[in-house]
Each structure stands twice: as C-alpha cells, then as structure tokens.
Amino acid sequence: MHPDATYLARQYYTAIDEHGYESLRDILDPEFIQHRGDMTLDGRDEFVSFMRDERPQKETTHVIDRYIQSKSDDEIVVRGHLEDSTGDEMFVFLDRFRARDGKISELKTFTRSPN
C-alpha cells in the first residue's frame, strides 16, 4: 500500500522546512512537476536543486491551516502561509498535490500577499 497524498504533503513540508533534500527527493516522482505563478519546475532533480540552492529565502516555516483531502487518496489541497526566520508572514499559499504510486507527481502552487 502506498502512502496517501496527505501523508506525502506533510512529509514535503517537513523536508523543505528542515532542509531534508534527500528526503524531499525520495517522496517526489522522477517526473514531478511544479506549476506556480512565476515559474514551472519540471522534474524532481530541477525542483530539489532549486529548493536547495536557488530559492531566495531558505530559513522559512510552512504553517498549515487546513488539509482538504479529495475523495480519492491521490489528491489533496493544503492551505497555509509561509513565515520567515523571524516569524513574519511572507505570503499565503494554496498547494494542490497529486500523488502517483506513492510519490508526489504534481504540485500546483497559488500565492497571495498576506492581509
């Protein structure tokens, strides 16, 4: 039995917040793709490299407000916000994860400025 999308989403945020890039790589499908307003990251290696080496701020914490599970176990929407190292809210996000064969296969990210 493969892990469901909720489990994978929780592991995703933990890996990023704790700089666990090997753990992040392990939960992503090799053909993983992330769509977001400013770019598309195509492939697991490109995504992990970006998170490890290129994102503007690495000392951040994802604060989750809500997990919304689909009727099937392969999709979940997560609502939350990102805080910087001082606890200031950087932006609000809505992430839609899709899983396939126990790995995250797709992530669509929507963001907006905090209120």
Side-chain angles (χ1 to χ4, degrees), residues 50-68:
F50 174 82
M51 295 309 264
R52 183 186 56 232
D53 303 324
E54 299 173 40
R55 63 183 161 134
Q57 284 196 4
K58 294 180 187 77
E59 299 305 320
T60 58
T61 302
H62 290 84
V63 179
I64 307 304
D65 298 323
R66 188 165 190 197
Y67 290 91
I68 306 163

Side-chain angles (χ1 to χ4, degrees), residues 3 14 17-18 28-29 32 35 41 49 53 68 73 81-82 84 89 96 103-104 106 111:
T14 298
D17 291 346
E18 295 179 0
L28 300 177
D29 185 87
F32 171 82
H35 303 282
L41 296 167
S49 177
D53 303 324
I68 306 163
D73 288 339
H81 66 273
L82 191 69
D84 65 16
E89 187 174 311
R96 187 198 70 205
K103 304 279 187 184
I104 299 170
E106 181 182 1
T111 63

Side-chain angles (χ1 to χ4, degrees), residues 34-41 94 107-111:
Q34 182 195 30
H35 303 282
R36 42 189 264 189
D38 60 341
M39 71 174 75
T40 296
L41 296 167
L94 188 71
L107 173 58
K108 181 136 180 124
T109 299
F110 303 89
T111 63

Side-chain angles (χ1 to χ4, degrees), residues 67-105:
Y67 290 91
I68 306 163
Q69 180 68 51
S70 68
K71 289 184 180 181
S72 66
D73 288 339
D74 64 349
E75 187 172 304
I76 188 165
V77 174
V78 181
R79 181 182 184 278
H81 66 273
L82 191 69
E83 292 181 352
D84 65 16
S85 61
T86 65
D88 289 335
E89 187 174 311
M90 297 170 61
F91 57 82
V92 175
F93 65 85
L94 188 71
D95 283 337
R96 187 198 70 205
F97 291 89
R98 288 198 174 148
R100 179 178 55 232
D101 298 328
K103 304 279 187 184
I104 299 170
S105 60

